[in-house]
């Protein structure tokens, strides 16, 4: 089982879209995939709301019952979706209260990792969506990760915080005494604009090693798929954005050894 965490403290850069699109593509390849919504704003959960019934347990429940996690218990928080091999652990606004559960409490930063470990044998890939806030939830999402994916919008302002963001992530990883590979992914790239071209060039110059060669283009199909509440690969068989995520998986993510 391999866990990928998608993070960036900047909002609206394509984190949730990256989780859902990669999850759809991995499931298509025959892998059993779990998406975990670690964002109290619940965008991922809302995306699939039409397919989900009322859930009695979610990610918050995992944190609430942190002392007594077993596979059966954690599976109560997992909801299968009507797409083969795809499941989701939903979020709710209550998840925000985890930040107040006591970040100083021993083991508080490793609860998601423990929960995912309980699911060994049930899934092949776990994709964790995060909120653009630095706190206990992000620390948990990073502690659970075998690989970090950092989507960055190819836009001047979005790139400005990147350096600091990478340093913060590295600091969290170091404090956990682990080594987690990071891949920066340029998203929402509009090659028709000079500004986007310049941003991409700057990213390529500054982050040679970290930056995935494959860039994710702007594609209106993402919005259409979210409107329909299905992962993009279940909505169209080919599109510029889908092909880009497909290449990203093949060329970088599935070959990184994480
Ligand atoms: N490559 C793309 N082309 C066009 N639209 C995109 C692309 N990627 C994402 N979007 C759209 O941009 C919006 C923001 O994307 P998304 O919700 O994935 O960002 P996010 O980083 O998860 O945001 P937040 O920080 O608020 O959680 C969504 O409406 C999504 O459909
Ligand atoms: Mg999001």
């Amino acid at each position: 089982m391999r866990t990928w965490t998608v993070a960036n403290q900047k909002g609206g850069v394509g984190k949730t879209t990256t989780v859902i699109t990669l999850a759809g593509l991995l499931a298509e390849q025959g892998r059993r995939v779990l998406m975990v919504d670690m964002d109290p704003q619940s965008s991922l959960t809302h995306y699939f709301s039409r397919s989900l019934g009322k859930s009695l347990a979610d990610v918050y429940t995992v944190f609430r019952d942190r002392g007594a996690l077993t596979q059966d218990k954690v599976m109560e928080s997992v909801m299968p979706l009507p797409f083969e091999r795809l499941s989701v652990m939903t979020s709710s606004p209550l998840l925000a209260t985890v930040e107040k559960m006591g970040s100083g409490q021993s083991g508080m930063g490793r609860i998601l990792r423990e929960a995912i470990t309980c699911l060994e044998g049930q899934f092949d890939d776990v994709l964790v969506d995060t909120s653009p806030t630095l706190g206990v939830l992000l620390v948990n999402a990073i502690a659970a990760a075998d690989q970090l994916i950092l989507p960055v919008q190819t836009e001047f302002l979005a790139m400005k915080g990147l350096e600091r963001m990478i340093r913060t992530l590295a600091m969290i990883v170091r404090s956990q005494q682990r080594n987690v590979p990071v891949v920066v992914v340029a998203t929402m790239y509009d090659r028709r604009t000079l500004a986007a071209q310049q941003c991409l060039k700057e990213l390529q110059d500054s982050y040679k090693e970290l930056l995935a060669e494959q860039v994710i283009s702007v594609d209106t199909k993402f919005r259409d798929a979210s409107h329909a509440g299905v992962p993009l690969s279940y909505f169209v068989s080919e599109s510029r954005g889908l092909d880009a995520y497909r290449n990203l998986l093949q060329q970088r993510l599935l070959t990184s050894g994480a």
Side-chain angles (χ1 to χ4, degrees), residues 18 20 28 37 51 65 89 136 144 155 174 200 222 239 242:
T18 298
I20 294 169
E28 188 184 84
D37 189 353
S51 310
D65 302 340
M89 205 186 269
V136 180
E155 184 227 66
R174 260 201 316 277
L200 183 59
F222 285 110
S239 83
L242 186 62

Side-chain angles (χ1 to χ4, degrees), residues 11-17 37 39 41-44 129-132:
V13 297
K15 293 183 288 295
T16 304
T17 304
D37 189 353
D39 183 354
Q41 296 225 37
S42 313
S43 307
L44 181 100
D129 190 21
T130 61
S131 89

